[in-house]
Every structure is written in C-alpha cells, then in structure tokens.
C-alpha cells in the first residue's frame, strides 16, 4: 500500500516535470501546420474572402512564417480570436502565434508573459462619427455613446482620454468589429473608436463611406505586431526574423518579381545574399533551411507589396504608408541588419 | 490479500478508487501550478487592488475607472443579481400564466401557448438574446431622430418616456427634501449607499401591509362569529394609500423626466437595451420551461379535486386559485428551483449584448487586462456557486413551508 502511494507520487512528479518545455517549432513541424490566431474579420487585415481563403495584412505574416518553417504558405490553421479570447488562446498553446492587430504594451509583454517580436503596423486610436452630427474634434464628444471593443487597450485609452478631458461618456462594450459596425450604423452609438487603421477598414465596407468622418485626434500610440508566448526564444526568433525579412526585403529592393533571380545566384549586395541564403548560414542558425527567407518572400512579396495589396492606397481601405514607410523614406520601419 | 476477503472487498475497492481519484486530482493541480510557475505566473490575487482602468455603463453603485478591479467585479455582480432577480420574477409570472392557459378549454388560446412553449424551449437562449437585441437596435429610433423641429420620433405617454435604440428612458423618482444616504462599509471596495428615503418608504409599506392583515383577521373573526363578512376594501385601501401619500409629500416626492441633452437623453432612469434584451430573452425562454412544469403540476392533481370544487359551486378561476394551484405548488416548486438556477447561470451570456455582468467585468475585461485567467475563472465559478446555493437555500426553505406535512 505505502509503496503504491510512493510510486504514484513519483509518477506525478515525473509527469509534472515533463510538461514544461517542448519547443514550439518542433510542435509545428510535427503537426505540419501552423496555428495562427487572427481577428474574426477586419477587412484588409484578416478576413476570409469569397472562397473562404483568409486574406489580409496580418494573415500574410502567418503565411510567411508557415512558408519559412514548413515551406508551404497554405499550411496554416487560422484561428479567429476576439479581443477577449486571443491571449488565453496564445497562453494555453491553442495557437502558436498571434497576428491580430494587437498592441505592444509593457504589461502585455512583461506581466501577461508574451513576447512581441516586432511591429508590422504603427497605429493610433481614433474616433469615427457620422458627418451629420457635425462634430469636428474629439474634445466635443462630451456625453456621447461610444462603441468600444471590449478587452482591448483602446478601452483603457478611451477611459483615460475622457477622464483627463473631464468629459463623460457611455461605453457600449461589444465583442467583434462586425457587431460594432451593426450598432454604429443603426445609431445605437454615436461614435466608434478603435485603431485608426481598423476604422478606415470598417468605413471602407460601408455603403456610403463619405457620410462618416474620422476625427483628427489620435489619442494613443498603438504599435501592432505579432506575438508569441514568453520563454520559447527559438520560436520567437523565427517569427521575429521572418517579419524582419519582409521589411528588409523592401529596403533592399527584393520583390516577388526579382526574387527568383536574386535567390538563384549571389548578387553583389552581401546583405541580400545573407538574407536569401546564397551566402552565410543564417537559416541554419534559426534551425531552418538556407532559403527560409526566399520561401517567406515567395508568398506575397516584401512588406511594401503586402501593404499595397491589402490595405494600401489602391485598395478600398486606402491607407497611406505614413509612419509605416521605410526609415529611408521617413517612416519607422527599420529592420536590424542580417548579419 | 484484502481483495479476496469478502468482508473487506468493497471497502478495499473504495479505498483504492479514492486514492486513484485523489492522485488524479493532485496530478492535475500540481501540473497546473508547475506550468503556471514555468510561465512565471504563480497564483496570486494582488491584482484586485489595482485600478481597473475601464468604465462600466450600468452601475448600481458609484464607480469610476480609477476604482479597483475588485470594485469593478462588485459592480458586475450587482448587475448579474439585478438581471437574475428581474428575470426570475418575470419568468415565474409568464410561466404560470402560460402553463395554466395551455390547459384552457379555449382551442385558440391553448394552441397559441403551445406554439410559444415549443418555440422558446427549442431554440438556444443565446439566439433569443441576440435576436432581442437586434430587434431593439434595428427597429427603434435613435436619439437623433427626436431632434429638430419636426422630429421623426416623439416621446410616449405625455412626453414622459423616451423609447430609443439605446434603451428606454423612464421618469425617475426624486425627493426635494431627501433624507440622504446611509453609507455602508466605509472606503472598502464593497462600499455602497442605501437611500434612507427608500428605507422609510419600505417601512411604511410594510406597516401598511401589516395593518391590512390585521384588518382581514378581524373580518375573519367577525365572519366566523356572525356569518356576515364586513366590507373592508375601502379601509384597506385607506391604510395602504394615506400613509404613503403623507410620507411622499413629506419627502418632497416628484418625478425627473428624461429630456434630450446633447448626444443622448439626460435625466430619468435609463434602462439600457442590453438589460432589456437580456431580461426579456432570459425570462421568456425560462418561462417556457416553467409553463411546462406548471402544466405538469396541475395535471398531477386528480380530476376529482376539480369536480369536488365545481360541486361546491366554485367558479373555474376560483377553483384554480384556491384548490388546484396550492396543491400543484408542491409538485411545481422543486423543478422550479432548478429553472431559477438555470436562468441565473444563463445570465452569463450577457456579454453577447454587451451587458456588463460579472462575467463581463471580472471574467472579461479584468481577466483580459491582467492576464490572470485561472484566478478570475476560479473566482467567477465560486461566485456563481454561492449565488446558486443561496437561491436553492431560499427556495428549499419555501418548499419546506408549502409541502405536504406527513405524519
């Protein structure tokens, strides 16, 4: 009897020790698919198209990572998450990475135990309001009813903004962008607030986008980027440098048009050579193939191409590059050297 | 070996099973704690004292975004209790009515009730909640429709009630000579104010009811000794109304009407459409189940009771109220308790319409902003457990009072 209890206790201890750390990259390779958390539907950023294929700016990051790790951009299981469910999904291991216009903040990085691998869109919180209300500044919103996605940083910024400016408001918490759109269009709230890019994307889907204005005030910094769980640095490095590869490729002029030429033989730019694996062993350092970045870039091209195709000025969403231009063009995008 | 000994066999198996179960539980708990430690998130509740940082639209007690997470959870708890309380009462009234009417001899009435019961019982409550909200939002006018010289929408009932797609604004009771509030629990997160006006009014009301009961006891005595029941309704009405009017006049009672101010209606009491949608959907859904329980309870009373009552000359309404329902209650109450519990637990679907109940505050925003999933969910489970146990405690006490006393 005593022996069996002892053995049982041993098993318990052994199993508990065994759970702790299995590398995410090994899990992904063994599974053959990448589980990527995305938004439930923000046009341009992450939304299924008419054929049910996920398309968008955030989705492109997932596909690039899947291509770099598995060599197949379609080997992605997209998990739609709401502002509320996303962190639990990531922390519990249901998804391997989260690319869901998520703001990089101190407490999420430090206290929630996530690792933000970079920024793929520099954003800020704005307000959208029907033109007929005649409001021109967010300072005139005293007493307004505001639709707000619950569980987001925007919820806290909103509370701070109204408190600091000594104004009152009535929050209407909603779960997804689609619900917000329904309530806003029906007039159940006067104002919809979220990241300015999200507002532009939402407004683009309205019947008459011109009837709605986005107020000039941007009340917060919202650096949006992909994130992974704390404590698995190998996996974090893979996602980080895949994103950097997309950004660096634009800086060096690697596009989907000239990718195969540049990757087939070494060019006279050593930085490009190291990025595309024709020189050095960066891929091996990451634990991936030498042409990992070529595969990632082969999906939809570099950062600039992805931006233009999904949310750029030629799309209905029509966002300018602004802060999201390369540092050489006065923007904030700056990939560390591939060396 | 003990396993071959028939005297101890069952005991041995039970002990072994018990040990196995405890090992499993220990493994689960240990595993969770170990994993949380590896993540660097050991279980602790210190985050409750930190400022919540978010606003809540429906507050039964004062709250602002600088109050603690615990205070926010308390605000959410009160919202849960409010919708559960309103829902249970409405569901009971509608349920009993529908249950009785389903047995009606009127073909049309009985069929309509059948359709109602089958429709509500067989569709998930979440869909009813979402539907109710969508109807409220899409079919009612926005506050901006009340603006302008020739508004599209006008206020109802002599300009006292505004029905909008943000909710219903009704007049609020105000007291110009208010007695003020009684403050409880000092500065703690659970502090709340009790209106002394309300206490006085309730006290007067209870005293009036006590007076009316004394009156009817006296009427009974007279009826038993003389056979003639004295008229009491005018005295009862006086006992009920006169003291109330005096108290209200002393307190300077008047109504505050809603009026359009800026973006929204101001003044008055704002019943948000999230509350209305949730309340309606939950009570209509649960009422369908209660109707079936009531119908079952009535059918359980033997036909002879009705016939005996008819033979005594009681009309159908009185037969139901005085003979059948009191007996049926004994069958009805136990399953009714579990429907009350269901309604309360279903209220956690509130977030579907953005109603800030405790699942929305503690289990939603607080959990999301602090990242303390396990702590919040465990606490949330504890809260629902306590609420449910309290409801069933009270209902069991009531059941013991009305059930057949067997000797």
């Amino acid at each position: 009897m005593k022996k069996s209890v002892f053995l049982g206790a041993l098993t318990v201890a052994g199993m508990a020790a065994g759970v702790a750390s299995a590398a995410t990259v090994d899990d992904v390779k063994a599974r053959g698919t990448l589980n990527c958390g995305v938004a439930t539907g923000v046009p341009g950023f992450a939304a299924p198209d008419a054929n049910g294929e996920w398309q968008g700016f955030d989705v492109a990051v997932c596909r690039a990572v899947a291509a770099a790790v598995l060599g197949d951009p379609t080997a992605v299981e997209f998990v739609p998450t709401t502002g509320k469910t996303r962190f639990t999904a990531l922390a519990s291991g249901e998804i391997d990475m989260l690319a869901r216009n998520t703001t990089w903040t101190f407490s999420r990085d430090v206290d929630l135990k996530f690792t933000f691998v970079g920024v793929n869109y520099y954003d800020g919180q704005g307000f959208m309001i029907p033109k007929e209300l005649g409001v021109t500044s967010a300072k005139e919103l005293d007493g307004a009813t505001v639709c707000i996605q619950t569980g987001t940083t925007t919820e806290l910024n909103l509370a701070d903004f109204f408190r600091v400016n000594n104004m009152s408001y009535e929050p209407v918490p909603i779960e997804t962008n689609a619900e917000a759109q329904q309530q806003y269009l029906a007039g159940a709230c006067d104002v919809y607030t979220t990241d300015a890019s999200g507002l532009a994307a939402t407004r683009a889907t309205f019947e008459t986008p011109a009837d709605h204005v986005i107020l000039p005030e941007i009340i917060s910094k919202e650096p949006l980027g992909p994130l992974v769980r704390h404590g698995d640095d190998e996996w974090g490095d893979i996602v980080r440098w895949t994103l950097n590869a997309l950004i660096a490729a634009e800086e060096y002029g690697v596009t989907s048009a000239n990718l195969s030429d540049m990757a087939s033989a070494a060019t006279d730019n050593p930085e490009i050579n190291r990025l595309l694996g024709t020189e050095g062993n960066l891929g091996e350092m990451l634990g991936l193939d030498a042409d990992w970045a070529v595969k990632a870039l082969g999906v939809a091209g570099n950062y600039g191409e992805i931006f233009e195709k999904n949310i750029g000025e030629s799309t209905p969403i029509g966002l300018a590059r602004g802060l999201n231009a390369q540092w050489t063009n006065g923007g904030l995008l700056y990939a560390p050297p591939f060396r | 070996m003990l396993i071959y000994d028939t005297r101890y066999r069952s005991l041995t198996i039970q002990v072994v099973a018990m040990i196995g179960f405890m090992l499993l539980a220990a493994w689960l708990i240990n595993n969770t704690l170990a994993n949380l430690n590896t993540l660097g998130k050991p279980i602790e509740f210190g985050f409750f004292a930190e400022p919540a940082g978010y606003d809540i639209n429906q507050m039964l007690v004062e709250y602002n975004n600088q109050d603690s997470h615990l205070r926010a959870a308390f605000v959410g708890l009160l919202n849960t209790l409010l919708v559960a309380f309103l829902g249970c009462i409405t569901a009971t009234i509608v349920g009993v009515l529908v249950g009785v009417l389903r047995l009606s001899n009127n073909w049309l009435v009985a069929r309509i009730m059948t359709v109602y019961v089958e429709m509500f019982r067989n569709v998930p409550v979440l869909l009813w909640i979402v539907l109710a909200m969508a109807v409220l939002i899409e079919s009612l006018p926005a506050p901006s429709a009340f603006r302008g010289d020739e508004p599209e929408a006008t206020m109802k009932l002599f300009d006292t009630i505004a029905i909008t797609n943000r909710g219903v604004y009704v007049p609020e009771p105000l007291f110009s000579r208010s007695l003020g509030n009684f403050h409880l629990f000092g500065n703690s997160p659970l502090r709340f104010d009790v209106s002394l006006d309300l206490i006085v009014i309730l006290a007067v009301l209870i005293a009036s009811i006590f007076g009316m009961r004394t009156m009817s006891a006296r009427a009974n005595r007279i009826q038993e000794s003389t056979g003639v029941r004295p008229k009491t309704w005018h005295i009862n009405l006086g006992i009920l109304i006169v003291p109330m009017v005096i108290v209200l006049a002393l307190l300077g009672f008047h109504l505050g009407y809603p009026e359009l101010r800026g973006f929204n209606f101001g003044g008055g009491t704002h019943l948000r459409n999230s509350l209305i949608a949730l309340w309606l959907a939950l009570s209509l859904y649960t009422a369908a189940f209660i109707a079936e329980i009531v119908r079952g309870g009535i059918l359980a009373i033997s036909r002879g009771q009705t016939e005996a009552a008819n033979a005594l000359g009681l009309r159908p309404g009185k037969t139901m109220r005085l003979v059948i329902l009191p007996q049926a209650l004994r069958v009805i109450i136990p399953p009714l308790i579990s429907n009350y519990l269901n309604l309360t637990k279903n209220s956690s679907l509130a977030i579907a319409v953005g109603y800030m109940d405790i699942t929305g505050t503690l289990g939603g925003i607080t959990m999301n902003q602090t990242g303390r999933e396990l702590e919040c969910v465990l606490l949330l489970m504890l809260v629902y457990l306590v609420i449910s146990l309290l409801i069933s405690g009270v209902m069991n006490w009531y059941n013991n009072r009305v059930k057949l006393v067997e000797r």
Side-chain angles (χ1 to χ4, degrees):
Chain A
M1 187 74 154
K2 270 196 178 138
K3 200 188 249 173
S4 74
V5 170
F6 177 67
L7 281 178
L10 262 189
T11 331
V12 168
M15 282 169 133
V19 248
S21 59
T24 311
V25 62
D26 295 335
D27 289 348
V28 172
K29 283 180 177 167
R31 203 189 303 132
T33 54
L34 171 74
N35 292 338
C36 192
V38 290
T40 49
V42 179
F45 284 85
D49 64 11
N51 302 320
E53 291 281 317
W54 281 88
Q55 300 291 349
F57 187 69
D58 284 329
V59 167
V61 177
C62 301
R63 293 208 189 275
V65 172
V69 177
L70 303 164
D72 179 5
T74 60
V76 189
E77 185 78 42
F78 289 102
V79 181
T81 54
T82 65
K84 248 180 80 183
T85 60
R86 55 185 164 175
F87 295 129
T88 319
L90 183 59
S92 66
E94 185 189 342
I95 53 179
D96 303 312
M97 60 177 283
L98 180 69
R100 187 204 176 277
N101 38 25
T102 299
T103 308
W104 184 354
T105 67
F106 181 95
S107 60
R108 285 175 179 175
D109 201 333
V110 178
D111 193 36
L112 298 197
K113 308 290 175 193
F114 296 123
T115 299
F116 284 81
V117 300
V119 175
N120 68 342
Y121 192 93
Y122 287 95
D123 210 338
Q125 183 176 348
F127 297 97
M128 176 162 64
I129 189 160
K131 213 173 238 171
E132 58 171 16
L133 289 179
V135 174
T136 54
S137 158
K139 299 276 172 64
E140 299 166 14
L141 289 178
D142 193 11
T145 302
V146 184
C147 274
I148 172 93
Q149 284 192 48
T150 187
T152 59
T153 47
T154 51
E155 197 166 39
L156 307 183
N157 298 332
L158 180 72
D160 284 347
F161 177 77
F162 276 85
R163 178 164 51 87
V164 168
N165 288 299
N166 256 329
M167 302 193 295
S168 65
Y169 71 108
E170 159 104 10
V172 175
I174 34 101
E175 276 238 85
T176 65
N177 199 46
E179 287 172 38
Q181 200 170 320
Q182 184 203 5
Q183 298 227 8
Y184 172 76
L185 287 178
C189 45
D190 301 304
V191 193
Y192 179 32
T193 179
T194 183
D195 299 338
S197 63
L199 290 179
T202 309
R203 189 173 63 163
T205 62
F206 288 175
E207 264 176 48
T208 49
D211 289 352
H212 304 270
V213 283
I214 294 174
L215 297 177
E217 282 90 351
I218 296 294
I219 63 167
S220 68
K221 289 189 290 186
E222 308 282 339
L224 311 179
L227 58 155
V228 298
R229 272 183 301 281
H230 220 73
D232 188 351
D233 289 347
E234 285 76 16
W235 177 244
D237 287 344
I238 290 174
V239 182
R240 173 178 300 117
W241 286 96
T242 307
L243 177 63
N244 282 335
L246 298 179
I247 296 171
E250 187 190 16
E251 187 186 341
Y252 302 139
V254 182
T255 65
S256 43
N258 62 17
L259 178 67
S260 49
D261 288 347
M262 287 189 167
S264 56
T267 64
D268 51 5
N269 184 339
E271 193 90 3
I272 296 180
N273 296 346
R274 283 191 295 269
L275 171 66
L276 299 182
T278 51
E279 191 184 314
N281 56 350
L282 296 187
E284 191 187 320
M285 291 181 199
L286 273 181
L288 301 174
D289 300 335
D291 62 347
W292 63 280
V294 179
K295 291 178 191 158
L297 288 164
V299 184
N302 63 36
Y303 179 90
E305 292 174 82
I306 295 171
F307 192 101
E308 284 312 321
K309 178 169 170 277
N310 292 301
I311 53 177
E313 281 174 332
S314 59
T315 63
I317 294 156
L319 292 170
R321 285 295 287 268
L323 288 176
N324 297 293
Q326 290 286 337
W327 63 286
T328 48
N329 296 334
L332 291 175
L333 290 185
Y334 185 103
F338 277 77
R339 181 174 286 285
Chain B
M1 287 287 279
L2 285 175
I3 194 85
Y4 298 118
D5 187 330
T6 47
R7 281 172 300 168
Y8 296 108
R9 186 184 290 155
S10 71
L11 192 67
T12 316
I13 292 175
Q14 282 175 38
V15 167
V16 169
M18 185 68 192
I19 290 175
F21 175 75
M22 284 168 67
L23 277 179
L24 187 71
W27 176 73
L28 274 177
I29 293 170
N30 187 22
N31 204 343
T32 311
L33 290 180
N35 281 345
L36 284 176
N37 264 329
T38 350
L39 268 176
K41 296 206 296 191
I43 291 190
E44 52 107 12
F45 289 90
F47 66 91
F48 265 131
E50 288 158 22
Y54 57 89
D55 286 299
I56 300 174
N57 47 14
Q58 178 179 302
M59 301 173 291
L60 298 180
V61 291
E62 44 89 29
Y63 165 86
N64 68 56
N65 57 43
Q66 293 306 295
D67 278 319
S68 65
H69 281 293
L70 187 58
R71 179 76 175 167
F74 180 60
V75 173
L77 173 67
L78 291 181
N79 286 347
T80 293
L81 292 178
L82 174 73
V83 78
F85 179 72
L86 292 176
C88 284
I89 291 181
T90 319
T92 312
I93 297 172
V94 177
V96 171
L97 268 178
V98 171
V100 172
L101 289 183
R102 209 184 157 180
L103 292 171
S104 161
N105 292 325
N106 184 321
W107 186 86
L108 189 65
V109 169
R111 285 304 164 278
I112 290 176
M113 293 308 146
T114 311
V115 169
Y116 164 79
V117 167
E118 296 303 335
M119 233 172 58
F120 274 88
R121 223 168 41 146
N122 294 312
V123 174
V125 65
L126 178 61
L127 300 185
W128 284 118
I129 296 174
V130 172
L131 177 79
M133 187 66 172
V135 168
L136 288 179
I137 289 178
E138 299 291 348
S139 66
L140 296 175
S144 57
F146 291 77
R147 215 167 288 141
D149 292 330
E150 282 183 19
E152 296 165 41
T154 48
M155 288 168 69
K156 306 283 181 288
L157 273 183
F158 311 110
D159 275 2
T160 55
I161 294 179
I163 301 174
T164 75
N165 66 352
R166 291 178 192 176
V168 177
Y169 296 79
V170 296
E172 60 181 337
L174 294 172
F175 301 97
S176 53
R177 286 181 292 274
S178 173
L179 298 173
N181 292 325
F182 184 64
H183 191 77
L184 283 174
F185 301 122
N187 230 348
S188 75
L190 300 183
R191 66 186 180 277
F192 66 95
D193 290 336
V194 182
S195 162
L196 286 176
D197 307 318
L198 187 69
I199 292 182
V200 169
I201 291 173
L202 282 181
V204 170
L205 193 66
I206 290 171
S208 301
I209 292 173
F210 184 76
M212 280 158 68
R213 292 188 67 156
T214 322
M215 275 306 294
S216 69
R218 182 173 152 267
N220 283 347
R221 259 200 325 276
I222 294 175
Q223 184 179 17
E224 274 164 26
S225 56
T226 65
V228 182
R229 192 176 178 82
K231 238 187 206 160
T232 56
W233 66 265
H234 54 284
I235 304 175
N236 275 341
L237 209 64
I239 293 178
L240 188 66
I241 289 176
V242 172
M244 190 56 73
V245 169
I246 293 172
V247 166
L248 289 180
L250 282 179
L251 289 174
F253 173 84
H254 61 280
L255 287 173
Y257 296 107
E259 55 179 339
L260 202 53
R261 280 187 212 143
F263 291 96
N264 283 310
F265 279 90
T269 302
H270 182 192
L271 303 172
R272 285 170 183 77
N273 55 9
S274 52
L275 170 68
I276 299 175
L278 189 68
W279 173 19
L280 262 186
L282 282 178
S283 29
L284 291 183
Y285 175 81
T286 312
F289 289 88
I290 293 181
E292 285 300 272
I293 294 169
V294 169
R295 186 170 71 105
I298 292 172
L299 289 178
I301 307 303
S302 83
R303 180 99 190 110
Q305 297 281 331
T306 316
E307 283 163 0
N310 288 346
L312 286 175
L314 290 180
R315 275 165 294 172
K318 278 201 161 173
T319 311
M320 183 55 78
R321 201 157 50 81
L322 297 175
V323 179
I324 308 295
L325 270 185
Q327 298 184 70
L329 268 186
R330 294 170 190 145
V331 187
I332 291 170
I333 287 176
L336 193 64
I337 302 176
S338 65
N339 271 300
Y340 285 168
L341 300 184
N342 276 343
L343 189 146
T344 310
K345 288 179 289 178
N346 284 339
S347 74
S348 63
L349 294 168
I351 190 61
V353 289
Y355 182 77
M356 279 290 133
D357 70 336
I358 192 162
T359 315
T361 57
L362 174 64
I365 307 178
T366 292
M367 178 164 104
N368 216 278
Q369 304 293 7
T370 61
R372 299 282 167 189
E373 292 94 356
L374 198 68
E375 291 91 333
C376 288
V377 170
L378 284 178
L379 210 70
L380 201 56
M381 289 164 76
L382 186 72
V383 166
Y384 279 108
L385 183 70
V386 170
I387 298 177
S388 294
L389 288 179
L390 282 179
I391 294 177
S392 48
V394 170
M395 289 303 291
N396 280 332
W397 168 79
Y398 181 63
N399 187 36
N400 281 336
R401 270 198 45 184
V402 298
K403 80 171 179 199
L404 200 61
V405 183
E406 288 166 0
R407 275 182 250 272

